[in-house]
Amino acid sequence: MDGRLPQFLGLGVQKGGTTTLHAMLQDHPEVFLPPSKELHFFSLDYSEGELWYRMKFAAAREEQCCGEITPYYLFHPEVPMRLRQLVPKARFLVLLRDPVERCLSGYFHSRRLGLETLEIEEALDNEASRLEGADAVLAAPDGRHFSHQVHSYLSRSRYDLQLARYDCLFPPGQMMLLRSEDLFQNPEGLWKRVLAFLELADWPLPSSFGRLNASVGEAEGVDPSIRRKLRAELATTYEVLEARYGLKW
């Protein structure tokens, strides 16, 4: 079959710095990434078939390491098994942002794009009903659920539930979990960890390194009571991420 399959994938998360990570990896001569970020093969376009996916990497040189980054992959319930079936040995990179801050950033991202009309508290209160039945729809190879993609603010921040699906299918060493905050506070240190994990030659950060696709600070004006409520809602996520994966915010 023509084309190759990726040796690594960036699985998430939305508003976690994946656009910046994509730019960093794209600058490395040993890495091939498709021109457009977020292929969505394992989530939205699985019905296109394996050859369609392979052709996205057809231009890679033989010596290059192929990869792609689609932050919806971590949250989509069908992706882990689809990855197990097609790329069982691939390595996975996951950028995880403070769950509360990611939730708020996700909400304002949808607002900016015109995908959300509700005020934040109403949107959070309606999230469960909006996502009802989503898993059944997404089980189909061509399944798409609008609210699962754009109205899943709190749900996307429940990293413990999402990572559990991968823990059942892949050994721990196949996935590297990184804090989004470290990407911007200590980019050199995080970059070296990524290069080692992917077994890539040492390479400097791009001279133009910076935060891409960042929010414009809307979350700073959120009432503190909303943050406290979200922190309580996500208490289990914080506890599990620290106890099981050593990540703390």
Side-chain angles (χ1 to χ4, degrees), residues 20 88 219:
T20 299

Side-chain angles (χ1 to χ4, degrees), residues 91-164:
R91 302 185 188 191
F92 306 131
L93 291 166
V94 186
L95 277 169
L96 299 173
R97 184 178 178 181
D98 181 300
V100 167
E101 298 309 316
R102 197 231 63 81
C103 174
L104 294 172
S105 185
Y107 166 78
F108 286 110
H109 178 70
S110 288
R111 287 281 287 197
R112 285 195 305 276
L113 294 178
L115 302 170
E116 179 60 87
T117 59
L118 302 180
E119 294 301 320
I120 185 166
E121 289 185 277
E122 188 179 3
L124 293 170
D125 289 342
N126 281 275
E127 182 172 328
S129 61
R130 282 171 152 182
L131 270 58
E132 189 173 352
D135 284 9
V137 172
L138 296 173
D142 59 350
R144 295 175 180 235
H145 191 284
F146 181 70
S147 284
H148 192 268
Q149 286 181 253
V150 305
H151 299 142
S152 46
Y153 315 120
L154 189 62
S155 302
R156 281 191 189 237
S157 286
R158 297 190 188 280
Y159 307 144
D160 51 320
L161 303 181
Q162 298 159 49
L163 292 171

Side-chain angles (χ1 to χ4, degrees), residues 2-18:
D2 292 334
R4 294 167 57 183
L5 290 171
Q7 292 131 290
F8 74 90
L9 295 100
L11 305 179
V13 294
Q14 182 201 50
K15 306 310 296 176
T18 58

Side-chain angles (χ1 to χ4, degrees), residues 46-84:
Y46 198 58
S47 61
E48 295 287 349
E50 182 180 339
L51 180 58
W52 178 91
Y53 189 51
R54 283 177 175 271
M55 293 310 295
K56 301 297 182 182
F57 306 95
R61 300 192 304 274
E62 184 177 352
E63 70 275 12
Q64 285 183 305
C65 178
C66 292
E68 67 125 327
I69 297 176
T70 302
Y72 190 35
Y73 284 166
L74 188 69
F75 184 52
H76 193 291
E78 298 296 321
V79 168
M81 183 56 73
R82 292 172 181 175
L83 289 170
R84 173 68 180 270

